[in-house]
């Protein structure tokens, strides 16, 4: 009776811990790519490496952390220390960005430290959950709070902390991490296991990475499953987290960070339904559905580039976002369940370690490297426009003409959606400020072709009617020096001839061009059509292989019973 009371009381405490656990990861997962490329001017390859911090943490972290928790220290104490160190690393990232001292090597090192500290805490927290709940089947009801924590973290950042345009997301993630470091000390005590249940000590490298599980590859059915799941995972989460916010931003959708939480809203539904679906259709079908869902969601993201039903481009993108819960739950969680079913009792833990190492570690590292070469071969039509240095002004006491070239590349003028449509309500930050009565107090001037053109296309005639006094953009950052080591903030005074230069580039020098906002944004975006279609085809190949040759553990059991 007392044991039941303790387990019952542990449930809300574990839910809070899981909420914070994924709020930490979410704080920078959907924001870092845009911020690093636009504000820090990191290359796409450097951004991809930053996103390897978490998967490298899944590879490196268990090597040092797992044995400590298994043999010497209580799990909740190890979690506390790791989250404290990881939180300090994230706060340091925010501080360096604030003081404009953030360089790629330093930021990469800090994020790697954060990932190494963060990833082992997921397994440790899982061990606390399963040990202190009255029934293991209650686990998903705790895990769903991780999804809720992801959603709330993203919404807070989008509404109150500047979204992907500000470095504040580092402080949010660091704050959650420090809080969890303190809070984890209140979790139920989970002492170290010491030796294994059979009393035999094993090499910690073998048990940590599940190396003894590789003997299951002698079984052709298991080998085919593991290879297909691993290869299909490469263009899955590791690739997707790198491209999600840049894609939504370049498509011109409002509040990309908040919009991206549709991933997690769908995850709540599909994660909850997964167990019942496994019973109905079996694990092979679940894995096939997971692969199929990843391919489908990428095709939905690619559809706007194919020009199919252009009025529904936003709908296609939202459907792609909502596919996340389907694709993630069925491929990743389905793979863990498949491995659990296939593994003998003495190798279950090792097999799970091996799958995490392959899918969340190696798979995500390789996946993060897909975007840079694809982006390189699918560059925008025009990303910047060259203007005369005479069109630049600054409050800094430097002579721009002596520091800069006669022509300087600057961003294209902004073209926001001027329509009074329901899509505006997805701009969570703007709507929250409106509800709270907060008015914009900035005096900064910002070009908005949407307001100037009043929903009209950009034509030679409409350009001639514009007032150049309204084509002024404050706060543009310009790098200069031999290695672009210096930066100055300038005001750009665009001219009509600059707009015509951009239009000629977009329209391939057609004199009778008539460009819409969609044309304007598409010219500045990378070729998302190819960037999403290629991974979809890649996943489709392994879908077909597993469809034809894969076997379900449940089906194998039936065959053995017949024999």
């Amino acid at each position: 009776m007392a044991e039941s009371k303790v387990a019952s009381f542990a449930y809300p405490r574990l839910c809070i811990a899981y909420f914070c656990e994924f709020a930490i990861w979410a704080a920078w997962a959907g924001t870092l790519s845009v911020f690093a490329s636009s504000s820090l001017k990191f290359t796409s390859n450097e951004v991809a490496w930053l996103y390897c911090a978490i998967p490298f943490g899944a590879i490196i972290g268990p090597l040092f952390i797992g044995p400590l928790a298994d043999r010497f220290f209580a799990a909740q104490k190890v979690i506390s220390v790791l989250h404290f160190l990881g939180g300090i690393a994230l706060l340091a990232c925010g501080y360096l960005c604030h003081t404009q001292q953030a360089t790629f090597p330093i930021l990469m090192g800090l994020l790697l430290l954060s990932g190494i500290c963060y990833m082992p805490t997921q397994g440790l927290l899982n061990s606390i959950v399963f040990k202190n709940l009255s029934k293991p089947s209650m686990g998903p009801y705790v895990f769903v709070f991780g999804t809720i924590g992801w959603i709330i973290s993203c919404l807070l950042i989008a509404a109150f902390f500047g979204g992907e345009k500000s470095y504040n997301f580092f402080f949010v993630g660091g704050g959650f991490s420090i809080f969890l470091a303190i809070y984890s000390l209140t979790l139920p005590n989970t002492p170290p296991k010491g030796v294994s249940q059979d009393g035999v000590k094993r090499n910690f490298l073998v048990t940590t990475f599940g190396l003894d599980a590789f003997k299951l590859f002698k079984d052709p059915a298991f080998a085919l499953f593991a290879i297909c799941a691993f290869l299909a995972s490469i263009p899955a989460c590791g690739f997707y987290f790198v491209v999600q916010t840049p894609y939504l931003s370049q498509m011109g959708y409002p509040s990309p960070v908040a919009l991206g939480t549709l991933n997690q809203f769908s995850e709540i539904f599909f994660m909850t339904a997964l167990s019942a679906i496994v019973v109905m259709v079996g694990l092979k079908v679940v894995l096939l559905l997971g692969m199929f869902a990843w391919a489908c969601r990428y095709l939905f993201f690619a559809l706007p580039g194919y020009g199919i039903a252009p009025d529904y481009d936003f709908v296609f993108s939202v459907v792609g976002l909502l596919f996340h819960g389907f694709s993630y739950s069925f491929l990743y969680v389905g793979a863990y369940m498949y491995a659990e079913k296939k593994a003998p009792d003495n190798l279950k833990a090792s097999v799970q370690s091996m799958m995490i190492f392959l899918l969340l570690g190696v798979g995500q590292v390789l996946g993060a490297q897909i975007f840079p070469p694809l982006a390189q071969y699918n560059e925008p039509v025009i990303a910047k426009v060259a203007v005369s240095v005479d069109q630049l002004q600054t409050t800094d006491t430097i002579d721009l003409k002596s520091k800069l070239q006669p022509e300087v590349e600057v961003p294209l003028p902004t073209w926001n959606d001027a329509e009074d449509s329901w899509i505006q309500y997805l701009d969570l930050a703007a709507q929250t400020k409106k509800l709270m009565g907060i008015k914009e107090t900035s005096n900064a001037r910002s070009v908005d072709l949407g307001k100037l053109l009043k929903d009209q296309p950009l034509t030679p005639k409409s350009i001639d009617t514009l007032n150049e006094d309204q084509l002024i953009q404050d706060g543009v950052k310009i790098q200069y020096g031999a290695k672009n080591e210096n930066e100055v903030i300038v005001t750009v005074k665009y001219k009509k001839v600059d707009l015509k230069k951009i239009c000629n580039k977009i329209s391939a020098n057609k004199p009778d061009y008539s460009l819409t906002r969609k044309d304007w944004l598409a010219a500045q975006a990378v070729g998302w059509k190819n960037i999403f279609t290629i991974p979809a085809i890649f996943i489709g190949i392994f879908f077909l292989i597993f469809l034809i040759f894969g076997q379900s553990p449940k089906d194998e059991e039936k065959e053995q019973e017949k024999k």
Side-chain angles (χ1 to χ4, degrees):
M1 189 72 178
E3 186 177 354
S4 176
K5 288 183 178 179
V6 171
S8 177
F9 181 70
Y11 174 73
R13 296 156 63 191
L14 294 171
C15 289
I16 294 173
Y18 233 83
F19 178 97
C20 295
E21 178 76 16
F22 281 86
I24 297 167
W25 189 357
W28 63 269
T31 51
L32 179 61
S33 56
V34 172
F35 177 79
S37 59
S38 62
S39 298
L40 300 180
K41 307 301 179 184
F42 289 177
T43 66
S44 59
N45 191 52
E46 289 172 334
V47 172
W49 278 109
L50 292 178
Y51 272 85
C52 289
I54 287 293
F56 271 132
I59 297 172
I60 301 173
L63 177 63
F64 303 100
I65 309 303
L68 294 177
D70 282 342
R71 300 175 177 223
F72 303 110
F73 301 105
Q76 75 276 7
K77 294 181 180 179
V78 178
I79 291 175
S80 178
V81 173
L82 291 177
H83 274 307
F84 180 78
L85 295 175
I88 294 298
L90 290 176
L91 293 177
C93 289
Y95 174 78
L96 290 174
C97 292
H98 173 69
T99 57
Q100 298 183 353
Q101 301 180 62
T103 62
F104 171 72
I106 296 177
L107 212 60
M108 182 69 219
L110 288 171
L111 282 176
L112 182 59
L113 173 61
S114 172
I116 291 173
C117 292
Y118 175 80
M119 284 306 292
T121 63
Q122 290 195 8
L124 295 172
L125 190 55
N126 286 346
S127 67
I128 295 177
V129 169
F130 286 117
K131 182 171 183 179
N132 293 282
L133 290 179
S134 57
K135 297 179 180 179
S137 59
M138 291 179 62
Y141 297 106
V142 175
F143 301 154
V144 73
F145 276 86
T147 302
I148 295 172
W150 188 292
I151 294 171
I152 298 300
S153 180
C154 289
L155 295 182
L156 284 173
I157 291 169
F160 300 106
F161 295 97
E164 70 280 5
K165 297 178 181 178
S166 171
Y167 50 78
N168 288 328
F169 59 83
F170 281 126
F171 293 124
V172 174
F176 271 117
S177 190
I178 297 297
F179 171 80
L180 187 52
I182 299 171
Y183 178 78
S184 61
L185 294 175
T186 71
L187 294 175
N189 183 44
T190 307
K193 299 176 183 178
V195 296
S196 60
Q197 291 183 353
D198 58 7
V200 179
K201 290 187 177 181
R202 294 185 173 88
N203 186 299
F204 76 85
L205 283 174
V206 172
T207 57
T208 299
F209 286 108
L211 298 182
D212 49 351
F214 278 91
K215 65 179 66 175
L216 288 181
F217 277 83
K218 295 178 181 178
D219 178 359
F222 180 87
L224 180 67
F225 145 72
I227 292 171
C228 286
F230 165 64
L231 292 176
S233 76
I234 293 175
C237 283
F239 167 73
Y240 175 69
F241 283 133
V242 175
V243 303
Q244 171 192 295
T245 305
Y247 168 74
L248 297 176
S249 298
Q250 291 189 4
M251 291 296 290
Y253 301 145
S255 197
V257 176
L259 188 61
T261 60
L262 291 177
N263 294 325
Q264 282 64 49
F265 279 111
S266 69
E267 191 177 308
I268 293 175
F269 171 78
F270 286 104
M271 191 75 76
T272 305
L274 181 60
S275 296
I277 294 174
V278 168
V279 173
M280 288 189 292
V281 302
L283 284 169
K284 176 184 176 179
V285 175
V286 164
L287 279 170
L288 287 170
L289 288 173
M291 296 179 193
F292 181 75
W294 275 107
C296 282
R297 77 180 309 212
Y298 285 162
L299 290 177
F300 272 111
F301 288 142
L303 280 177
Y306 285 101
I308 300 174
D311 292 340
Y312 293 92
D313 285 353
F314 180 72
V315 175
F316 292 146
S317 298
V318 168
V319 172
L321 291 171
L322 291 174
F323 258 78
H324 180 79
F326 186 2
S327 54
Y328 174 81
S329 301
F330 281 55
L331 178 60
Y332 284 85
V333 181
Y336 301 147
M337 296 175 72
Y338 190 107
E340 175 75 11
K341 191 78 173 178
K342 288 285 294 182
D345 291 339
N346 64 321
L347 288 179
K348 287 187 182 296
S350 294
V351 169
Q352 290 300 324
S353 295
M354 179 187 69
M355 295 307 299
I356 291 174
F357 173 77
L358 290 175
L359 301 187
L360 295 184
V362 180
Q364 287 205 67
V365 169
L366 296 177
Q369 305 306 313
I370 296 176
F371 180 59
L374 287 179
Q376 181 180 354
Y377 288 104
N378 294 276
E379 293 183 341
V381 174
I382 180 170
K384 293 186 176 183
V385 60
V387 302
S388 170
V389 70
D390 294 327
Q391 296 172 233
L392 308 181
Q393 292 182 347
T394 182
T395 57
D396 293 350
T397 57
I398 65 170
D399 182 6
L400 293 177
K401 290 186 177 181
S402 64
K403 299 293 184 181
L404 305 177
Q405 297 294 324
E407 284 194 334
V408 180
E409 288 191 333
V410 297
L412 274 62
T414 305
W415 190 336
N416 292 315
D417 189 356
E419 294 182 2
D420 187 18
S421 65
W422 63 271
I423 295 179
Q424 66 176 310
Y425 295 105
L426 292 174
D427 190 344
L428 187 69
Q431 296 306 317
T432 301
K433 291 177 182 178
K434 185 183 295 185
L435 290 172
M436 297 177 66
I438 301 174
K439 296 182 179 180
E440 295 290 345
T441 57
S442 174
N443 294 321
R445 293 164 294 182
S446 178
V447 180
D448 187 350
L449 294 177
K451 291 182 179 179
L452 297 178
L453 295 170
K454 299 179 181 179
D455 299 330
Q456 298 300 312
L458 201 57
T459 64
K461 184 176 179 179
S462 65
I463 291 177
D464 289 334
T465 62
L466 294 176
N467 184 350
E468 287 188 345
D469 291 337
Q470 295 178 299
L471 299 177
I472 298 177
Q473 181 70 48
D474 291 329
V476 177
K477 296 180 180 178
I478 302 293
Q479 278 77 36
Y480 65 93
K483 298 181 179 179
N484 289 331
E485 68 275 13
N486 299 315
E487 182 178 85
V488 60
I489 298 178
V490 302
T491 293
V492 181
K493 293 186 175 182
Y494 296 98
K495 294 183 178 181
K496 297 176 184 179
V497 67
D498 299 324
L499 296 183
K500 292 181 178 179
K501 187 189 305 182
I502 298 169
C503 292
N504 287 333
K505 180 72 172 179
I506 296 174
S507 64
N509 291 316
K510 294 180 181 178
D512 56 345
Y513 56 79
S514 179
L515 304 178
T516 64
R517 175 177 181 264
K518 182 179 178 181
D519 300 325
W520 188 263
L521 294 176
Q524 300 175 70
V526 295
W528 292 113
K529 178 180 71 174
N530 294 332
I531 288 174
F532 281 119
T533 300
I534 293 173
I537 294 173
F538 184 86
I539 295 174
I541 292 172
F542 296 101
F543 167 83
L544 292 175
I545 292 174
F546 195 66
L547 173 66
I548 298 171
F549 301 106
Q551 298 181 24
S552 172
K554 188 174 181 180
D555 295 338
E556 288 182 353
E557 288 178 0
K558 288 182 179 179
E559 291 178 5
Q560 291 176 0
E561 290 175 0
K562 290 179 181 180
K563 293 179 181 179

